[in-house]
Amino acid sequence: MKITKLSGVFAMLLIAAAAGCGKGEQQVEANATAEVTATAESAIGEGAYVEEHESGKAAFNVAADGNVKAAVTGPDGKPIREDVGGTLLWKDASGEEKTVPLTLDAKTGLLVAAGPKLEADLTQIGYTLNVAGKPWSGTLHVPAGGTAELHANAKGAADLGLPEGKLGPHGGRIEIVGDDRLELLVDEATGEVRVYVLDVDLKPVDIGERKVTLGVVADAPQVVVLAPVAATATAGVAAGAYLTGKLALAADPLKVTIAVRNAGRSAVALCGYRAGAAFAVHAHAPRVKVRMKTDWHAHAHAHADLKAKADIDPKVHVHAASGAAARANAKANVHVKAPSVRVTPPSVNVQIKAPSISIPKPTFKASASARASAGAKVGTR
């Protein structure tokens, strides 16, 4: 009986010990997960840039020296530390591409890579992540300061408090890039892109010495360096009124990154990005509205017609104007009236009149005195 009681007590102690051990293991596992999560967040850094895919999120911290840290989380927000890897396709300013592997660091649960130093105003980095056998892909356009510069500029733009959805004087999208307010718009028919510099009252000003580079993710990623418009590019536009270039866009893009260099300083902005928020890049993500219908092409033709008209008819003057004034001048001066170009018949027809060569007939009629004299002579015979 004593043995039975002792056995029962011993069994209870064993069960309690086993339960305590199991609880301890569960606690240790939970603590380990929390520790890894905290380590991953601290290791990747505050200035990380996060992209949201349909199956989860991918966070990137690309440093100026080319070192990359990335963290992958599932739709439940938990880090994915197994069966994950990937590659980066690094494209420099010359267009040369370099493939850089992403490998999993077991200690931190991060994917790490060592790429080339960031030197261009925007470096294009394509990525492909293999998560449990499924590919996640995307493209980053990273400034020379890395993703931390993207994060810092996004915070600065938010502090300026530009009204949401505010459009520029030409109907384009307004983005704050460093100290600049820029208006961006693309002609939907030709793909011509224009970037205007605006003052605090959102009025266009001269671009000065600014250099603007666009990184665009659409059907295919592209980097375009814009050039200052020439004075003769279109009617009534002064040199340096805006920056222009060409984009291949069949629809509004998924992402647009703008880099501005001016007086030795650089700034960058990702359109629509908010610091600390994930940027959606999946199929249902919103697009960046930059394409619109313009009359730029019509203005260029009108200006060409006016110049041609001026070459023919010196009475026609080509006026330098813009906006409504340019349209009014085009309407007033583009008409070519017939009298100004028609050669009237009197100026080309040579009418040769027959010369007066008729010989006057001799006069045989005698005067009255002559007839009287003649009659007298006859009478004397």
Side-chain angles (χ1 to χ4, degrees):
M1 198 61 189
K2 290 181 180 180
I3 295 176
T4 303
K5 287 182 179 180
L6 287 173
S7 299
V9 171
F10 184 70
M12 291 176 68
L13 290 173
L14 286 177
I15 292 171
C21 183
K23 184 178 180 181
E25 288 179 356
Q26 290 177 0
Q27 186 65 38
V28 169
E29 184 178 354
N31 290 340
T33 302
E35 183 180 352
V36 170
T37 303
T39 303
E41 290 177 353
S42 61
I44 199 169
E46 181 186 355
Y49 165 70
V50 183
E51 292 203 331
E52 180 182 343
H53 294 262
E54 291 183 352
S55 302
K57 297 176 182 177
F60 295 90
N61 193 330
V62 183
D65 60 4
N67 285 318
V68 180
K69 297 175 183 178
V72 182
T73 56
D76 55 1
K78 294 182 179 179
I80 298 175
R81 297 180 290 144
E82 296 180 355
D83 197 13
V84 61
T87 56
L88 302 174
L89 188 60
W90 216 280
K91 190 173 184 179
D92 61 21
S94 66
E96 183 178 353
E97 295 181 342
K98 180 180 181 180
T99 301
V100 180
L102 276 167
T103 57
L104 183 65
D105 184 343
K107 292 183 179 180
T108 62
L110 300 176
L111 293 168
V112 295
K117 182 180 179 180
L118 299 174
E119 295 180 339
D121 290 340
L122 285 180
T123 297
Q124 181 172 297
I125 306 174
Y127 67 86
T128 300
L129 303 175
N130 297 310
V131 184
K134 296 181 179 180
W136 299 8
S137 61
T139 302
L140 311 176
H141 288 110
V142 187
T147 52
E149 187 177 348
L150 270 177
H151 186 271
N153 277 272
K155 290 181 67 176
D159 293 339
L160 291 179
L162 185 72
E164 188 72 25
K166 179 70 175 178
L167 298 179
H170 304 91
R173 180 188 185 93
I174 299 177
E175 285 294 330
I176 296 176
V177 186
D179 296 329
D180 288 326
R181 294 166 177 81
L182 303 182
E183 182 184 13
L184 169 66
L185 58 162
V186 181
D187 183 272
E188 63 181 17
T190 65
E192 180 185 354
V193 56
R194 293 184 183 181
V195 169
Y196 295 87
V197 180
L198 309 177
D199 62 14
V200 292
D201 297 320
L202 303 183
K203 295 181 180 179
V205 296
D206 190 89
I207 64 171
E209 299 179 355
R210 290 173 180 81
K211 175 188 174 185
V212 174
T213 304
L214 300 181
V216 180
V217 178
D219 293 336
Q222 51 193 309
V223 175
V224 177
V225 179
L226 304 185
V229 65
T232 56
T234 187
V237 175
Y242 55 84
L243 295 119
T244 185
K246 282 276 190 178
L247 288 175
L249 293 177
D252 282 317
L254 186 64
K255 293 169 60 181
V256 177
T257 306
I258 308 175
V260 179
R261 182 175 294 277
N262 185 29
R265 300 178 62 184
S266 62
V268 66
L270 173 60
C271 294
Y273 174 57
R274 299 291 179 267
F279 195 96
V281 294
H282 48 74
H284 305 293
R287 297 282 170 156
V288 183
K289 179 63 179 174
V290 293
R291 296 172 76 246
M292 60 185 297
K293 185 178 293 184
T294 74
D295 56 359
W296 302 340
H297 191 61
H299 278 190
H301 275 293
H303 184 64
D305 290 344
L306 285 170
K307 286 186 65 66
K309 175 70 167 58
D311 293 338
I312 297 173
D313 188 350
K315 295 180 181 179
V316 176
H317 303 284
V318 179
H319 297 282
S322 61
R327 289 190 290 273
N329 286 339
K331 290 181 180 179
N333 295 292
V334 79
H335 299 293
V336 180
K337 296 182 179 180
S340 63
V341 295
R342 184 180 64 191
V343 180
T344 56
S347 63
V348 294
N349 292 342
V350 178
Q351 296 178 353
I352 302 175
K353 296 182 179 180
S356 299
I357 57 174
S358 59
I359 301 173
K361 296 180 181 180
T363 305
F364 293 102
K365 294 181 179 180
S367 60
S369 58
R371 288 196 300 270
S373 178
K377 288 180 181 181
V378 175
T380 59
R381 288 182 182 180

